[in-house]
Amino acid sequence: DITERRAAVMESGLAYLRPGIFMNLDDGADPYDTRGFHAFIDDSFAQFRNAGARALLIDLRDNPGGHNAFSDHLIAWFATRPFRFCSRFAMRASTQAVEAN
């Protein structure tokens, strides 16, 4: 289930995080609204810290991706250096595509 979001700490001290798709899938909501996802991630890492988790497993199985405004917030919790979405990003679109969208 790509929509499943789950966080838990196992008895072994392993923190488990399944963040789900990197989009907002709430019915009728803006798919790019990150507030709920960010709150889930922040709450999950607080839970891991409070439980004294010693390792983290991030389960991305079947994750189709989404928007980096979601995934960047997750990565910021454990990145030790500044990071970027990519080294270079370019988009091209035809006039017809622009007009249609």
Side-chain angles (χ1 to χ4, degrees):
D1 178 6
I2 64 171
T3 65
E4 179 186 31
R5 292 195 168 124
R6 189 162 53 120
V9 179
M10 312 303 171
E11 288 182 24
S12 64
L14 174 68
Y16 173 84
L17 180 66
R18 184 167 176 88
I21 191 170
F22 298 127
M23 298 289 283
N24 181 356
L25 297 178
D26 294 339
D27 287 337
D30 175 0
Y32 301 106
D33 181 358
T34 61
R35 290 175 293 180
F37 182 84
H38 287 194
F40 166 74
I41 295 297
D42 294 346
D43 292 346
S44 297
F45 276 88
Q47 174 189 351
F48 302 158
R49 192 175 35 230
N50 292 339
R54 296 178 293 126
L56 171 64
L57 179 117
I58 301 174
D59 185 351
L60 296 173
R61 286 176 294 169
D62 302 320
N63 187 312
H67 195 279
N68 70 295
F70 291 76
S71 56
D72 285 359
H73 187 74
L74 167 61
I75 294 167
W77 270 97
F78 53 84
T80 58
R81 299 184 324 213
F83 61 92
R84 293 186 283 177
F85 169 67
C86 62
S87 62
R88 182 175 168 271
F89 186 79
M91 291 180 62
R92 291 189 280 175
S94 68
T95 302
Q96 294 85 354
V98 171
E99 289 172 359
N101 290 300

